[in-house]
Amino acid sequence: MMSESIQKEHVISCSRLIPEWLPFDYQGDTLNFDLDAGEVISIIGPDYSGKGNWLRTICGLEDQHDGALYINGLNTQSLSATEWTMTRRKVAYLHEDTALLSAANGLMNVLAPAFYHQLDKAGNKQLLAEKALELLEAIDPDIELDILPAYLTKDHQYKIAIARALLLEPDVLALNNPFVHFNPDSKQRFQRFLEDRIKQGLSLLMVTHDIHYALSISDKIIFANRENLILFDSAEAILECDIPMVSQFIDTSRAR
């Protein structure tokens, strides 16, 4: 048991965070939240409202104008190049069209970053390949791993990118619009996989248009548009919100 004088670090912690990309006259709230192991935070809002920029800023991929961002207790503004390389591995960011290596088959696409980070030095290449295959089997056993990405469906390409990211054992999976290429059956299978990983302690940050799923899975929800940012500490809180721009967005999205 940990001593009471030792506090567990949050996986990600934002304090008065304002991204660099926001307009100079931005009058909305700053971002303040803690993300712990196994928690889910969804970012929702109208199209073209900067949700992806907020997500990338939270991951440390876009500059911040003000405030502080901590990943596993480390301030991202004061890291050395080596510390930043190690810290970045803990937050895996994937866009809906994250690219794969065009001249490598599915399995090699999953393994390449792990070889780059020399994860095979901790064990051996055979064990790493077995782990990659186990991941891919859990995500979708129907993926053809011996062909090039150009011959795979978009959802299978994305699932390979997910396996590639998870093989590096991140603490956080940050997904920007993850379900856009999925048919209903494929999406449901992938969502079940995500939920299993969350139960094992993986944290999830997600920009999504699937409001029903965001409401069902999220511990906290961020509503964002160009002028405002509102953090809700539960799905119930956003459903009970009487701010017109929020309630109208939720009602319209749930009716689709």
Side-chain angles (χ1 to χ4, degrees):
M1 184 174 179
M2 290 194 304
S3 167
E4 291 185 358
S5 63
I6 301 175
Q7 298 199 1
K8 182 180 180 296
E9 296 169 347
H10 301 295
V11 180
I12 292 180
S13 184
C14 297
S15 176
R16 297 178 292 102
L17 187 65
I18 299 179
E20 185 70 39
W21 61 269
L22 281 172
F24 178 78
D25 58 351
Y26 174 73
Q27 298 295 318
D29 292 341
T30 59
L31 188 54
N32 298 273
F33 75 83
D34 298 317
L35 176 69
D36 291 322
E39 282 194 326
V40 178
I41 298 180
S42 295
I43 305 175
I44 63 173
D47 292 341
Y48 309 110
S49 56
K51 301 183 295 294
N53 300 88
W54 276 108
L55 180 64
R56 288 189 291 274
T57 303
I58 294 168
C59 294
L61 299 176
E62 290 197 16
D63 292 337
Q64 57 200 65
H65 173 71
D66 198 5
L69 170 67
Y70 298 86
I71 297 177
N72 287 329
L74 299 176
N75 189 329
T76 58
Q77 293 292 87
S78 58
L79 297 178
S80 68
T82 301
E83 289 171 330
W84 177 240
T85 298
M86 297 304 296
T87 299
R88 272 292 302 120
R89 276 180 48 192
K90 295 300 181 181
V91 181
Y93 170 84
L94 289 92
H95 187 266
E96 62 191 70
D97 292 314
T98 294
L100 298 177
L101 299 171
S102 60
N105 67 22
L107 182 58
M108 284 308 302
N109 262 282
V110 176
L111 289 170
F115 290 154
Y116 173 81
H117 289 287
Q118 299 185 329
L119 296 192
D120 54 316
K121 303 298 182 184
N124 61 56
K125 290 185 180 181
Q126 181 62 33
L127 289 176
L128 198 60
E130 289 175 4
K131 185 175 179 181
L133 289 170
E134 288 175 4
L135 261 176
L136 289 159
E137 177 73 15
I139 294 172
D140 191 336
D142 296 330
I143 300 173
E144 295 183 69
L145 299 176
D146 57 347
I147 62 177
L148 300 179
Y151 301 100
L152 293 169
T153 60
K154 282 283 191 178
D155 66 319
H156 282 184
Q157 291 177 29
Y158 189 77
K159 289 172 180 176
I160 285 172
I162 291 287
R164 179 175 67 183
L166 291 177
L167 193 60
L168 298 180
E169 299 185 343
D171 295 324
V172 182
L173 198 56
L175 305 181
N176 192 342
N177 203 13
F179 310 126
V180 67
H181 298 305
F182 290 64
N183 63 43
D185 289 341
S186 182
K187 180 169 77 168
Q188 188 176 56
R189 176 186 288 179
F190 181 59
Q191 289 175 342
R192 285 199 301 267
F193 169 79
L194 288 178
E195 289 157 22
D196 287 341
R197 302 297 293 197
I198 291 163
K199 290 175 183 176
Q200 296 172 36
L202 180 70
S203 301
L204 179 63
L205 277 169
M206 175 175 59
V207 169
T208 182
H209 299 294
D210 189 335
I211 303 304
H212 294 280
Y213 190 64
L215 292 171
S216 71
I217 197 174
S218 300
D219 297 290
K220 301 181 182 78
I221 296 178
I222 297 169
F223 176 86
N225 62 23
R226 287 287 176 178
E227 295 78 32
N228 298 276
L229 179 81
I230 306 171
L231 174 65
F232 296 90
D233 61 6
S234 67
E236 290 76 15
I238 196 169
L239 289 173
E240 294 170 0
C241 176
D242 58 4
I243 300 172
M245 64 179 174
V246 177
S247 58
Q248 290 170 12
F249 173 80
I250 293 294
D251 290 344
T252 301
S253 299
R254 295 178 76 192
R256 291 173 183 167

